[in-house]
PDB file of all heavy atoms in Angstrom:
ATOM      1  N   VAL J1547     113.011  10.216 -42.669  1.00 98.00           N
ATOM      2  CA  VAL J1547     111.938   9.335 -42.214  1.00 98.00           C
ATOM      3  C   VAL J1547     112.262   7.878 -42.543  1.00 98.00           C
ATOM      4  O   VAL J1547     112.113   6.990 -41.699  1.00 98.00           O
ATOM      5  CB  VAL J1547     110.583   9.745 -42.838  1.00 98.00           C
ATOM      6  CG1 VAL J1547     109.518   8.683 -42.603  1.00 98.00           C
ATOM      7  CG2 VAL J1547     110.138  11.093 -42.284  1.00 98.00           C
ATOM      8  N   ALA J1548     112.721   7.615 -43.764  1.00 97.00           N
ATOM      9  CA  ALA J1548     113.040   6.248 -44.188  1.00 97.00           C
ATOM     10  C   ALA J1548     114.138   5.643 -43.321  1.00 97.00           C
ATOM     11  O   ALA J1548     114.028   4.492 -42.873  1.00 97.00           O
ATOM     12  CB  ALA J1548     113.449   6.236 -45.655  1.00 97.00           C
ATOM     13  N   LYS J1549     115.194   6.412 -43.065  1.00 97.00           N
ATOM     14  CA  LYS J1549     116.292   5.909 -42.223  1.00 97.00           C
ATOM     15  C   LYS J1549     115.809   5.617 -40.808  1.00 97.00           C
ATOM     16  O   LYS J1549     116.169   4.596 -40.218  1.00 97.00           O
ATOM     17  CB  LYS J1549     117.440   6.914 -42.184  1.00 97.00           C
ATOM     18  CG  LYS J1549     118.296   6.917 -43.420  1.00 97.00           C
ATOM     19  CD  LYS J1549     119.468   7.864 -43.254  1.00 97.00           C
ATOM     20  CE  LYS J1549     120.429   7.780 -44.417  1.00 97.00           C
ATOM     21  NZ  LYS J1549     121.590   8.668 -44.224  1.00 97.00           N
ATOM     22  N   GLN J1550     114.981   6.500 -40.259  1.00 97.00           N
ATOM     23  CA  GLN J1550     114.485   6.298 -38.893  1.00 97.00           C
ATOM     24  C   GLN J1550     113.607   5.051 -38.799  1.00 97.00           C
ATOM     25  O   GLN J1550     113.737   4.250 -37.883  1.00 97.00           O
ATOM     26  CB  GLN J1550     113.707   7.524 -38.418  1.00 97.00           C
ATOM     27  CG  GLN J1550     113.258   7.420 -36.967  1.00 97.00           C
ATOM     28  CD  GLN J1550     114.418   7.302 -35.998  1.00 97.00           C
ATOM     29  OE1 GLN J1550     115.331   8.109 -36.042  1.00 97.00           O
ATOM     30  NE2 GLN J1550     114.396   6.290 -35.149  1.00 97.00           N
ATOM     31  N   LYS J1551     112.702   4.877 -39.772  1.00 95.00           N
ATOM     32  CA  LYS J1551     111.817   3.698 -39.762  1.00 95.00           C
ATOM     33  C   LYS J1551     112.631   2.408 -39.914  1.00 95.00           C
ATOM     34  O   LYS J1551     112.357   1.411 -39.256  1.00 95.00           O
ATOM     35  CB  LYS J1551     110.772   3.786 -40.879  1.00 95.00           C
ATOM     36  CG  LYS J1551     109.802   4.914 -40.730  1.00 95.00           C
ATOM     37  CD  LYS J1551     108.879   4.718 -39.560  1.00 95.00           C
ATOM     38  CE  LYS J1551     107.895   5.876 -39.487  1.00 95.00           C
ATOM     39  NZ  LYS J1551     107.127   5.873 -38.263  1.00 95.00           N
ATOM     40  N   LYS J1552     113.637   2.433 -40.781  1.00 95.00           N
ATOM     41  CA  LYS J1552     114.491   1.255 -40.958  1.00 95.00           C
ATOM     42  C   LYS J1552     115.248   0.958 -39.670  1.00 95.00           C
ATOM     43  O   LYS J1552     115.318  -0.199 -39.241  1.00 95.00           O
ATOM     44  CB  LYS J1552     115.467   1.471 -42.115  1.00 95.00           C
ATOM     45  CG  LYS J1552     116.364   0.271 -42.365  1.00 95.00           C
ATOM     46  CD  LYS J1552     117.298   0.516 -43.540  1.00 95.00           C
ATOM     47  CE  LYS J1552     118.282  -0.638 -43.697  1.00 95.00           C
ATOM     48  NZ  LYS J1552     119.184  -0.439 -44.837  1.00 95.00           N
ATOM     49  N   ASN J1553     115.798   1.969 -39.028  1.00 93.00           N
ATOM     50  CA  ASN J1553     116.520   1.775 -37.765  1.00 93.00           C
ATOM     51  C   ASN J1553     115.601   1.244 -36.682  1.00 93.00           C
ATOM     52  O   ASN J1553     115.984   0.358 -35.912  1.00 93.00           O
ATOM     53  CB  ASN J1553     117.180   3.077 -37.310  1.00 93.00           C
ATOM     54  CG  ASN J1553     118.360   3.453 -38.165  1.00 93.00           C
ATOM     55  OD1 ASN J1553     118.953   2.618 -38.841  1.00 93.00           O
ATOM     56  ND2 ASN J1553     118.701   4.728 -38.154  1.00 93.00           N
ATOM     57  N   ASP J1554     114.385   1.788 -36.585  1.00 93.00           N
ATOM     58  CA  ASP J1554     113.411   1.304 -35.599  1.00 93.00           C
ATOM     59  C   ASP J1554     113.100  -0.168 -35.818  1.00 93.00           C
ATOM     60  O   ASP J1554     113.051  -0.958 -34.873  1.00 93.00           O
ATOM     61  CB  ASP J1554     112.113   2.113 -35.671  1.00 93.00           C
ATOM     62  CG  ASP J1554     112.271   3.550 -35.217  1.00 93.00           C
ATOM     63  OD1 ASP J1554     113.325   3.906 -34.637  1.00 93.00           O
ATOM     64  OD2 ASP J1554     111.332   4.342 -35.465  1.00 93.00           O
ATOM     65  N   LEU J1555     112.901  -0.556 -37.072  1.00 91.00           N
ATOM     66  CA  LEU J1555     112.598  -1.943 -37.405  1.00 91.00           C
ATOM     67  C   LEU J1555     113.794  -2.844 -37.112  1.00 91.00           C
ATOM     68  O   LEU J1555     113.631  -3.959 -36.611  1.00 91.00           O
ATOM     69  CB  LEU J1555     112.186  -2.041 -38.869  1.00 91.00           C
ATOM     70  CG  LEU J1555     111.565  -3.345 -39.341  1.00 91.00           C
ATOM     71  CD1 LEU J1555     110.322  -3.688 -38.528  1.00 91.00           C
ATOM     72  CD2 LEU J1555     111.214  -3.260 -40.814  1.00 91.00           C
TER      73      LEU J1555
END
Side-chain angles (χ1 to χ4, degrees):
V1547 168
K1549 283 184 174 182
Q1550 184 61 52
K1551 295 292 182 190
K1552 181 179 175 179
N1553 288 339
D1554 292 349
L1555 192 57

